[in-house]
Amino acid sequence: MKAAVVVTPGTIEIQQLPDPAPGPTDVVVKPAAVGICGTDLHIMEGEFAPAFPIVPGHEFAGEIVAVGSEVSGYAVGDQVAVDPSLYCGYCYYCKRARGNQCENWAAIGVTAGGGAAELVLAPMANLFKLPAHLEARNAALIEPLSCAVRGFDVLPRNVADNFLIYGSGTMGLMMMELAKRAGAATVSMVDLNPQRLETATRLGCTAAVTSADELDAPRGWDIVIDCTGVAAAIRDGLTRVGRGGTFLQFGVANTGTKVEIEPYEIYRREITIAGSMAVLHSFDRAGELMAAGVLDPEVFVSHRFPLADYAAALEQFKNGVGRKILIEP
C-alpha cells in the first residue's frame, strides 16, 4: 500500500509499505478520507509522536476490506468511522474511566500507523458504523466533532449562557454549532482571519469580530473557549470571563507555551479554568450527531487533496487557508 510517512520531523514521503493484516479483533479499513488537524502539524514539527517514522492521520472513515477471525457485528463492505484512541484499559486512569489520560496512551496516527494511507488497521472496539445516508468521505469529521463533544462534557450545562469563542477554524465552528444546540443565548466568535469569520457568520453566530474589544459585554461572558492554542488569544480570553464563568482551554498550544494569570481575579470572580483533551466516551455520540445533520460537510470541508499531495495539504493548513482539509487516499 501507499502511505504518507513522516520520516523525520519536517520530512514527508509517499512510500510503499506492507499491507496490514488484521489480528483476531481487528479490521482493515480503506480510508475514503482523512482529515488534517493541528496534531498532524505538531507531529510534523517533532512533537507528540514518540517515534519516527510514522504514518499520520487520526481523523478518518472508510470501508472495511478485511476482518479478524473474532470480529462480530462488522463485515467486509461496512462503512465506518474510527476512533483513534488506544487506551490500555488497566492503568490508574483507565480504571477510573479517564482513558484520555491513560498512562500508556497511544493513538492511531500518532503512535500507530494512521489513515494517511491506502489501508489502515483498527480495533473492532473503535468502530462506528455509518448509516447509509452518511458518506464515508464526509465522516472523517466525526473524530474532531467527538473532541468538541468531549469539550462540552467538561462545561457547565446552563441554558441561556453567553459564549465567546476564540478561533473560527474547524474546531471553533464545531464548538459554535454545539453551543447553539446546547441552548446558548449568544455565541460570539473572535478570529483574525476574515474568511473564517465569514463562515462563522454564515453558520449563524451572534457576532464575528477580530477583537473582543468590539463587543459590548460589561459583565464578561459565562463561557469563554480558546480554540487557537495561541498565547495572545488565551491571555485575552482569560480576562473576558464573567463572574462565576468558565474558561475552557480547548486549542492545542505548543509545548512550553506560557500565559500569566492573576490568581486574585480567579479567586475574586470564582472563575473555573478547565481543560479538554481529545476523545473520551464521545465518539459514538459525535457519530450520532453527524448522522443527524449537526454539521454541513459542504460548509466545513473546504479542500480535498489526493494522498500524493499530503505535504502540500499540510502546508496549506499551516498557512491557515481554508477550513477542514481532507486527504482522499
Side-chain angles (χ1 to χ4, degrees):
M1 70 170 185
K2 290 181 180 179
V5 181
V6 181
V7 181
T8 59
T11 304
I12 298 178
E13 297 178 359
I14 303 300
Q15 296 185 357
Q16 191 74 32
L17 301 179
D19 290 354
T25 59
D26 297 328
V27 303
V28 176
V29 175
K30 179 177 177 57
V34 55
I36 290 179
C37 87
T39 298
D40 299 302
L41 190 58
H42 283 286
I43 290 171
M44 182 63 175
E45 293 173 346
E47 299 179 345
F48 291 0
F52 295 90
I54 186 68
V55 177
H58 59 280
E59 305 176 358
F60 66 98
E63 180 179 345
I64 295 177
V65 296
V67 298
S69 59
E70 298 177 17
V71 169
S72 62
Y74 298 94
V76 171
D78 284 348
Q79 306 292 305
V80 296
V82 180
D83 179 350
S85 308
L86 300 173
Y87 309 144
C88 74
Y90 57 80
C91 75
Y92 179 92
Y93 293 104
C94 282
K95 288 185 175 181
R96 285 154 180 79
R98 298 298 298 269
N100 64 339
Q101 300 299 319
C102 175
E103 294 173 325
N104 304 292
W105 185 87
I108 299 170
V110 181
T111 62
E118 293 176 325
L119 298 171
V120 59
L121 196 66
M124 173 182 67
N126 291 47
L127 305 179
F128 175 81
K129 189 178 294 185
L130 303 179
H133 70 276
L134 180 54
E135 293 184 79
R137 69 192 299 264
N138 294 326
L141 292 171
I142 290 175
E143 196 282 338
L145 181 58
S146 72
C147 294
V149 171
R150 169 60 188 156
F152 267 79
D153 284 345
V154 306
L155 289 174
R157 292 165 175 78
N158 299 320
V159 174
D161 272 348
N162 295 288
F163 283 70
L164 179 64
I165 300 175
Y166 286 75
S168 55
T170 301
M171 298 315 305
L173 295 176
M174 287 185 176
M175 296 300 271
M176 181 190 78
E177 292 287 36
L178 292 183
K180 287 158 53 180
R181 284 158 179 79
T186 65
V187 188
S188 299
M189 308 292 292
V190 180
D191 202 305
L192 299 178
N193 186 318
Q195 287 74 35
R196 289 182 172 179
L197 290 176
E198 287 176 9
T199 304
T201 300
R202 176 181 174 186
L203 290 174
C205 67
T206 306
V209 297
T210 57
S211 170
D213 288 337
E214 301 173 48
L215 302 170
D216 182 22
R219 296 183 179 85
W221 279 265
D222 302 302
I223 306 290
V224 178
I225 303 173
D226 173 68
C227 295
T228 70
V230 175
I234 298 166
R235 188 179 300 113
D236 188 67
L238 285 166
T239 70
R240 310 286 180 173
V241 185
R243 299 185 184 192
T246 299
F247 178 89
L248 175 63
Q249 186 55 51
F250 184 80
V252 182
N254 290 331
T255 56
T257 298
K258 292 180 174 58
V259 175
E260 290 184 354
I261 62 173
E262 294 185 59
Y264 176 75
E265 286 301 306
I266 296 171
Y267 154 79
R268 183 180 71 84
R269 290 187 281 150
E270 292 193 340
I271 292 172
T272 297
I273 298 177
S276 170
M277 195 287 219
V279 183
L280 183 65
H281 309 306
S282 54
F283 198 85
D284 281 18
R285 287 181 288 151
E288 291 166 4
L289 286 169
M290 188 73 192
V294 71
L295 304 180
D296 182 354
E298 296 304 315
V299 175
F300 273 80
V301 179
S302 62
H303 296 81
R304 298 176 188 266
F305 287 83
L307 181 63
D309 292 341
Y310 186 92
L314 188 62
E315 184 65 22
Q316 178 174 311
F317 175 86
K318 181 179 180 179
N319 292 331
V321 178
R323 296 177 296 281
K324 175 54 69 176
I325 297 173
L326 296 182
I327 303 296
E328 298 189 336

